[in-house]
């Protein structure tokens, strides 16, 4: 029972996935791809329907601003919003619904859609405009002497990088051995496009690679080896030298902190003990000596008198 329910859910999921895929493919197939040379004019037509009530062109360029052109058939009224003077109806919109872009610029590249409204509903006719910059088709005022170039170098991580600058369309870059990286394309205002591809090998040791550039104006192949041992040797030497410099710098700072006070601190002058002349000491001691001698003499006199008084009459004290 459970297995049957799981099978039913899986079948519904597959049906939904297939339906979305079909819708996406139909939308992709419905886009009309047009190209125009830089500086020239291009025209995009709109589908013819009966009993049309309104026609609207909506532009969505990559670099420029969006604009809208509308025509109301019942009131015979046109409306133009945010559109350049170069983008307009090819002729009278009441009988020709085509859109014309004069003097195509790189900023005009992008998506354009014509929407027709009638009693049966809305009908869309999408376009994708690609601007080409081939010098043989450019007028003299638009000419730019940009020659195709190719560059192959090693990045900071030792990975090969291939770069190609050409006129539109963009160049194709491939690697030998095969790389699983996705190229990046950047368009410029002068009509050129730069493609950059970074080699990403399936194995970690795939540093020796060959870049192949394919374009109508440039077909070239170059090889490069980014796994040179000298690169790692120089890197190791730089790391060791940096480590030694850091150690020496730390040692100098430590020595300065340890012995710096001997060089920077001011020395305190020694305490000076006052010295007095010998004569002054004698002068100060002599009065005290004289005073002691006088006291002793008085004491002796008093002692003798006391002794005479205490002796019997007629007896003299012994000396």
């Amino acid at each position: 029972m459970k297995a049957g329910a799981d099978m039913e859910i899986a079948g519904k999921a597959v049906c939904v996935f297939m339906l979305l895929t079909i819708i996406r493919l139909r939308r992709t197939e419905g886009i009309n791809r047009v190209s125009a040379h830089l500086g020239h004019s291009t025209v995009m037509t709109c589908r013819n329907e009966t009993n049309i009530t309104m026609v609207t062109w909506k532009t969505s360029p990559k670099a420029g601003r969006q604009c809208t052109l509308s025509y109301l058939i019942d009131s015979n009224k046109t409306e133009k919003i945010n559109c350049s003077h170069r983008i307009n109806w090819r002729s009278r919109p009441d009988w020709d619904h085509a859109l014309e872009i004069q003097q195509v610029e790189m900023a005009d590249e992008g998506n354009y859609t014509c929407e027709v409204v009638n009693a049966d509903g809305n009908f869309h006719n999408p376009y994708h405009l690609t601007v080409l910059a081939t010098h043989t088709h450019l007028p003299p005022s638009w000419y730019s002497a940009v020659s195709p170039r190719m560059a192959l170098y090693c990045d900071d991580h030792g990975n090969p990088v291939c770069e190609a600058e050409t006129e539109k369309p963009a160049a194709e870059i491939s690697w030998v051995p095969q790389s699983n990286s996705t190229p990046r394309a950047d368009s410029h205002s002068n009509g050129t496009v730069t493609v950059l591809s970074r080699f990403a090998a399936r194995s970690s040791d795939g540093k020796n690679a060959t870049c192949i550039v394919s374009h109508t104006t440039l077909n070239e192949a170059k090889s490069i080896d980014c796994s040179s041992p000298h690169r790692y040797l120089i890197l190791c030497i730089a790391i060791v030298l940096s480590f030694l410099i850091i150690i020496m710098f730390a040692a100098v700072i430590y020595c300065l902190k340890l012995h710096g006070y001997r060089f920077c601190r001011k020395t305190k002058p020694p305490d000076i003990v006052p010295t007095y002349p010998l004569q002054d000491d004698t002068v100060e001691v002599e009065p005290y000596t004289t005073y002691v001698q006088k006291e002793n003499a008085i004491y002796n006199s008093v002692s003798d008198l006391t002794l005479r008084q205490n002796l019997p009459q007629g007896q003299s004290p012994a000396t």
Side-chain angles (χ1 to χ4, degrees):
M1 187 71 180
K2 184 178 179 180
D6 293 339
M7 290 292 293
E8 184 179 357
I9 294 174
K12 290 182 179 180
V14 171
C15 292
V16 171
F17 177 76
M18 293 181 63
L19 180 61
L20 293 176
T21 303
I22 293 173
I23 294 174
R24 184 175 179 180
L25 291 174
R26 290 186 64 183
R27 289 181 178 179
T28 305
E29 292 176 356
I31 297 178
N32 300 309
R33 299 187 177 275
V34 295
S35 59
H37 295 288
L38 187 64
H40 288 257
S41 300
T42 184
V43 175
M44 287 172 277
T45 60
C46 196
R47 61 186 297 171
N48 293 322
E49 297 290 340
T50 59
N51 301 323
I52 297 175
T53 58
M54 185 175 66
V55 179
T56 303
W57 277 98
K58 296 180 180 179
T59 72
S60 181
K62 290 183 178 179
R65 58 185 180 180
Q66 298 181 357
C67 83
T68 304
L69 281 174
S70 300
Y71 173 65
L72 298 176
I73 296 178
D74 295 339
S75 58
N76 194 21
K77 181 181 179 181
T78 60
E79 187 176 12
K80 189 175 183 180
I81 303 174
N82 293 331
C83 293
S84 171
H85 65 281
R86 300 179 297 101
I87 302 177
N88 210 333
W89 304 98
R90 181 172 59 176
S91 58
R92 292 176 51 182
D94 54 348
W95 60 277
D96 187 4
H97 308 318
L99 178 71
E100 182 180 12
I101 303 177
Q102 299 179 352
Q103 295 181 351
V104 175
E105 299 178 356
M106 296 304 303
D108 297 330
E109 188 174 76
N111 298 321
Y112 295 79
T113 303
C114 177
E115 182 179 357
V116 177
V117 179
N118 63 5
D120 297 328
N122 298 359
F123 301 92
H124 296 84
N125 193 11
Y127 287 88
H128 180 78
L129 174 64
T130 301
V131 181
L132 304 176
T134 306
H135 297 330
T136 55
H137 295 84
L138 289 176
S141 60
W142 288 85
Y143 182 81
S144 60
V146 177
S147 58
R149 66 176 184 87
M150 174 188 177
L152 183 62
Y153 55 91
C154 301
D155 62 5
D156 297 336
H157 301 285
N159 297 318
V161 178
C162 187
E163 186 176 345
E165 182 179 0
T166 59
E167 302 169 353
K168 285 193 173 182
E172 294 182 359
I173 294 179
S174 58
W175 291 95
V176 177
Q178 188 176 1
S179 172
N180 53 5
S181 62
T182 302
R184 185 188 68 191
D186 296 325
S187 300
H188 308 290
S189 59
N190 61 352
T192 61
V193 58
T194 300
V195 181
L196 187 144
S197 178
R198 196 177 306 273
F199 180 75
R202 300 181 185 275
S203 59
S204 58
D205 57 347
K207 298 292 185 179
N208 191 349
T210 301
C211 175
I212 303 174
V213 177
S214 302
H215 191 260
T216 56
T217 60
L218 178 65
N219 288 290
E220 192 172 351
K222 290 183 179 180
S223 299
I224 193 171
D225 185 6
C226 296
S227 60
S228 175
H230 300 288
R231 180 183 183 90
Y232 299 100
L233 179 62
I234 294 173
L235 181 61
C236 293
I237 293 175
I239 293 174
V240 172
L241 290 177
S242 301
F243 185 70
L244 292 176
I245 291 173
I246 292 173
I247 293 177
M248 293 177 61
F249 186 72
V252 170
I253 293 177
Y254 177 76
C255 291
L256 290 177
K257 287 185 177 181
L258 186 62
H259 304 287
Y261 67 92
R262 296 182 180 179
F263 304 101
C264 301
R265 190 178 63 180
K266 294 184 178 179
T267 58
K268 182 179 180 181
D271 296 335
I272 301 175
V273 179
T275 58
Y276 300 97
L278 184 59
Q279 183 180 359
D280 296 339
D281 295 339
T282 306
V283 173
E284 292 181 0
V285 172
E286 284 181 356
Y288 176 76
T289 305
T290 305
Y291 172 77
V292 172
Q293 291 176 355
K294 290 181 179 181
E295 289 290 330
N296 291 336
I298 295 172
Y299 176 77
N300 293 333
S301 300
V302 173
S303 297
D304 293 340
L305 180 59
T306 304
L307 183 60
R308 286 193 186 98
Q309 291 177 357
N310 294 330
L311 289 176
Q313 188 174 6
Q315 188 177 356
S316 61
T319 57

